[in-house]
Amino acid sequence: MKVLVAVKRVIDFNVKVRVKPDGSGVETANVKMSMNPFDEIGVEEALRLKEKGAATEVVAVSLGVQACQETIRTALAMGADRGIHVLTDVELQPLAVAKLLAAVVKKENPGLVILGKQAIDDDCNQTGQMLAALLGWSQGTFASKVAVNAGDLAVTREVDGGLESVALKLPAVVTTDLRLNEPRYASLPNIMKAKKKPIEALTPDALGVDPAPRLKLVKVEEPAKRQAGQKVKSVAELVDKLRNEAKVI
Amino acid sequence: MGVLVVADHDNKALKAATLNAVTAAAAIGGEVVVLVAGHGCADAAKAAARVRGVAKVQAVDDPAYANLLAENTAPLVVREAAKHGHVLAPATSNGKNLMPRVAALLDVQQISDIIAVKAPDTFVRPIYAGNALATVQSADKVKVITVRATAFEAAPSEGGAAPVESLPAAGDQGLSKFVGQELSRSERPELTSARIVVSGGRGMQNGENFKTYIEPVADKLGAAVGASRAAVDAGFVPNDYQVGQTGKIVAPDLYVAVGISGAIQHLAGMKDSKVIVAINKDEEAPIFQVADYGLVGDLFEIVPELEKAL
Ligand SMILES: Cc1cc2nc3c(=O)[nH]c(=O)nc-3n(C[C@H](O)[C@H](O)[C@H](O)COP(=O)(O)OP(=O)(O)OC[C@H]3O[C@@H](n4cnc5c(N)ncnc54)[C@H](O)[C@@H]3O)c2cc1C
Ligand SMILES: Nc1ncnc2c1ncn2[C@@H]1O[C@H](COP(=O)(O)O)[C@@H](O)[C@H]1O
């Protein structure tokens, strides 16, 4: 079974994101970019499936500007076999990403597609579910455990009340949650090897998909800042303030 | 046209966040119709009919919807969505799982996790862990939306008397099966709607300390217990305790953060709380930048003292 993993290039999770003064977006110049953390978990899971013999090939796919190739290289350095880059400068929203990925899936015929549950930039939590819908496939979202069985995929999902297990007909789409695994670091030899692995370049045109955004961004602004309060000296003072000043207990 | 709200429920009762989605629907304007898809869900449908502001409840009772599997529920919602201008669901794990599938089938770009309605086609939503707020406008024929519960008041759960209409099911897609669930049982209030939340972080050191230190304080305050990602990853508490960008969003009257440093991903889930208390031995911890009351010191001394003082 071939496994496709979607890897998005995002502002690194450690960066303190700043809104541009003109309200057109957030500052991206000279900002550290990384693979979306949930996608690192996705790559790791695909590699583990391969190491267990449940997967035969791991293909990393990224969509967007030229620099997404770096993100694909990171996946290749972790151990993915090859990459696919859908090159476009258009701002991609989840529906467009899902349509492009669906077109890639039609070409590649994987048995499983793994995405992150959420990109930490747009915080949409949509793309995997949309991809499953467009393909008419099953979906195992927010996965904390995945096992390939004869004929189906067992997925444990992190839900509001705890954990839920489902059995999915294959092929399937899975989105990763934080507890699925701990992603490996790429070793130096593997980083060297990754440089020789192939990355296929595609375009939305070649895939027959119109990637134009549907939502118009009216403006981006900073949220109201919370004022730091006061330090209290003792538990007695704290309880007194909560009772008589804040009146919350 | 009207606004369709897809209820989140467990067949017996509505999940609290459904009430906040009803308020968001009312803010958009038009008749609010609540869809209750489930199995043996008559009680949940009746509960929806009693919610103030609801004009009509549509109940679909079928084994295919017993556990709200998205593969089965999405085609049903798509069928009903065609009659409305907006389809909303709370941004609960069920809502997040279902609605993008609905949106893609309708060829619509979903708007996730809205915190304000500016106009029937214009909404505000947080991005980058709440470090920025985006105002977005949709030209899609149907607006598919998930609602951040903490940003809208809960509609009163009593006072309405909407008619309940029963609709036919849309079939089992045969793509997925519910196998089982492991729910964390608790007598405490539900985390996302609790008036007071006491959360522990990596500073708690282990799960036993959550029981010895956090729970007695929570009991005295009638509070829910939450946690940082670090505490969940380390196995101190179950996954559904996680508060943050990629966990639960809470905005209680009082949030007490114990042994939590205040990473941006954690703040994203709790910084709209009315009053924040931080207990941390590191006076430089970023949590103090958002705390109304900060107490610097060893939590293993402070927390038992707090429990006694309450
Ligand atoms: C993709 C992604 C998503 C994430 N999502 C979330 C999320 O949803 N929610 C979330 O919380 N995090 C999330 N994180 C993780 C986040 O970045 C932080 O790593 C995490 O919040 C840290 O948890 P913590 O504050 O408990 O631990 P730490 O940062 O290690 O802080 C522990 C604190 O305890 C204090 N302490 C230790 N001992 C004592 C003592 N005896 N008395 C008093 N104080 C003590 C220390 O001074 C320290 O400040 C996410 C990260 C990523 C990359
Ligand atoms: N431009 C992209 N390139 C590759 N993968 C993407 C892209 N956008 C979204 N994804 C995938 O979809 C997941 C969820 O993104 P989102 O729905 O935007 O929160 C991400 O974790 C990625 O796996």
Side-chain angles (χ1 to χ4, degrees):
Chain A
M1 180 175 75
K2 189 194 286 184
V3 180
L4 221 67
V5 191
V7 294
K8 186 177 187 184
R9 183 173 183 267
V10 298
I11 295 183
D12 186 83
F13 80 96
N14 269 316
V15 171
K16 169 97 184 72
V17 169
R18 278 176 218 293
V19 174
K20 283 189 193 157
D22 67 358
S24 64
V26 306
E27 224 43 272
T28 51
N30 302 316
V31 164
K32 183 179 178 208
M33 305 294 288
S34 299
M35 185 189 296
N36 185 41
F38 287 98
D39 300 347
E40 292 180 354
I41 297 172
V43 174
E44 177 64 36
E45 196 62 19
L47 296 175
R48 288 188 191 185
L49 288 173
K50 190 177 167 197
E51 285 156 4
K52 272 190 267 189
T56 49
E57 192 188 20
V58 176
V59 183
V61 188
S62 192
L63 304 84
V65 297
Q66 188 61 34
C68 292
Q69 296 234 350
E70 290 167 22
T71 313
I72 297 175
R73 285 287 166 214
T74 306
L76 298 177
M78 286 174 76
D81 297 294
R82 60 188 172 89
I84 296 177
H85 177 211
V86 181
L87 175 67
T88 174
D89 289 336
V90 172
E91 180 224 326
L92 292 176
Q93 294 177 350
L95 183 64
V97 175
K99 286 180 179 178
L100 291 165
L101 286 174
V104 172
V105 165
K106 297 257 157 69
K107 273 172 56 92
E108 292 282 335
N109 285 309
L112 177 65
V113 185
I114 306 180
L115 302 87
K117 84 162 176 182
Q118 181 173 336
I120 60 163
D121 51 3
D122 64 23
D123 282 333
C124 276
N125 195 333
Q126 300 178 8
T127 310
Q129 298 88 313
M130 288 183 153
L131 175 63
L134 297 176
L135 296 169
W137 290 9
S138 57
Q139 64 183 56
T141 53
F142 326 147
S144 66
K145 206 165 152 202
V146 173
V148 183
N149 297 327
D152 71 9
L153 189 75
V155 178
T156 304
R157 308 180 50 232
E158 294 199 357
V159 295
D160 288 344
L163 297 171
E164 175 183 293
S165 359
V166 291
L168 306 180
K169 201 170 135 184
L170 285 165
V173 172
V174 162
T175 75
T176 61
D177 216 320
L178 295 168
R179 261 65 64 178
L180 184 56
N181 60 50
E182 234 180 273
R184 69 193 64 185
Y185 290 101
S187 66
L188 197 57
N190 284 345
I191 292 171
M192 299 313 289
K193 257 195 260 170
K195 294 195 172 142
K196 297 206 193 76
K197 291 181 181 174
I199 298 179
E200 184 185 356
L202 294 170
T203 61
D205 245 5
L207 292 168
V209 174
D210 172 10
R214 293 288 190 82
L215 292 182
K216 184 178 148 207
L217 186 63
V218 179
K219 68 171 173 203
V220 176
E221 60 200 323
E222 260 183 60
K225 275 225 169 52
R226 214 185 156 96
Q227 295 301 317
Q230 44 185 308
K231 294 255 169 69
V232 292
K233 293 266 173 324
S234 66
V235 166
E237 189 187 348
L238 174 65
V239 172
D240 175 63
K241 298 263 188 201
L242 291 177
R243 284 212 174 105
N244 302 315
E245 193 174 85
K247 298 189 166 61
V248 285
I249 59 169
Chain B
M1 283 294 263
V3 180
L4 184 68
V5 175
V6 183
D8 191 2
H9 63 89
D10 62 3
N11 293 308
K12 299 276 164 285
L14 295 177
K15 298 271 173 71
T18 304
L19 300 174
N20 309 84
V22 166
T23 300
I28 290 168
E31 194 181 65
V32 177
V33 179
V34 177
L35 176 69
V36 180
H39 184 46
C41 59
D43 286 345
K46 279 183 208 149
R50 290 195 300 271
V51 175
R52 204 178 304 159
V54 173
K56 187 160 71 178
V57 174
Q58 297 179 322
V60 190
D61 199 327
D62 190 272
Y65 310 120
N67 299 289
L68 296 179
L69 291 171
E71 294 86 340
N72 289 343
T73 314
L76 172 72
V77 177
V78 167
R79 185 188 80 194
E80 294 309 310
K83 303 166 197 162
H84 300 274
H86 296 77
V87 189
L88 274 62
T92 54
S93 54
N94 280 328
K96 290 176 188 170
N97 186 39
L98 170 68
M99 295 299 269
R101 194 164 178 115
V102 170
L105 293 174
L106 289 167
D107 193 28
V108 163
Q109 175 53 55
Q110 171 175 306
I111 309 160
S112 294
D113 226 8
I114 63 161
I115 58 167
V117 176
K118 288 282 171 203
D121 65 350
T122 308
F123 308 90
V124 184
R125 57 178 307 268
I127 53 176
Y128 294 96
N131 279 312
L133 303 179
T135 302
V136 294
Q137 190 175 23
S138 164
D140 284 323
K141 55 191 184 309
V142 182
K143 279 46 165 178
V144 178
I145 294 167
T146 61
V147 176
R148 178 172 288 200
T150 52
F152 297 88
E153 292 284 325
S157 59
E158 299 293 335
V164 179
E165 171 187 301
S166 147
L167 295 182
D172 190 324
Q173 305 298 308
L175 288 172
S176 57
K177 278 204 218 63
F178 175 83
V179 175
Q181 57 190 5
E182 246 177 83
L183 300 185
S184 351
R185 246 177 308 241
S186 163
E187 303 297 306
R188 295 208 177 76
E190 199 265 317
L191 182 55
T192 52
S193 52
R195 206 181 66 75
I196 302 180
V197 174
V198 184
S199 288
R202 197 194 311 268
M204 297 311 302
Q205 292 176 1
N206 56 50
E208 207 43 54
N209 286 340
F210 259 82
K211 292 204 178 72
T212 325
Y213 293 89
I214 299 284
E215 290 190 10
V217 174
D219 286 341
K220 280 241 168 117
L221 292 169
V225 175
S228 70
R229 172 190 175 180
V232 175
D233 281 6
F236 303 171
V237 289
N239 61 280
D240 51 300
Y241 283 45
Q242 184 182 314
V243 170
Q245 177 190 16
T246 62
K248 286 183 176 153
I249 309 293
V250 304
D253 286 350
L254 174 60
Y255 187 90
V256 185
V258 184
I260 293 179
S261 62
I264 184 71
Q265 293 84 6
H266 188 77
L267 301 186
M270 45 63 81
K271 71 179 156 73
D272 291 328
S273 304
K274 198 140 80 182
V275 175
I276 297 173
V277 169
I279 299 170
N280 197 305
K281 68 177 180 192
D282 172 12
E283 65 176 327
E284 302 291 320
I287 190 77
F288 288 121
Q289 288 164 23
V290 300
D292 299 278
Y293 304 110
L295 194 47
V296 179
D298 184 356
L299 74 91
F300 297 107
E301 285 165 23
I302 293 172
V303 175
E305 232 188 284
L306 177 62
E307 195 254 327
K308 272 197 217 94
L310 289 170

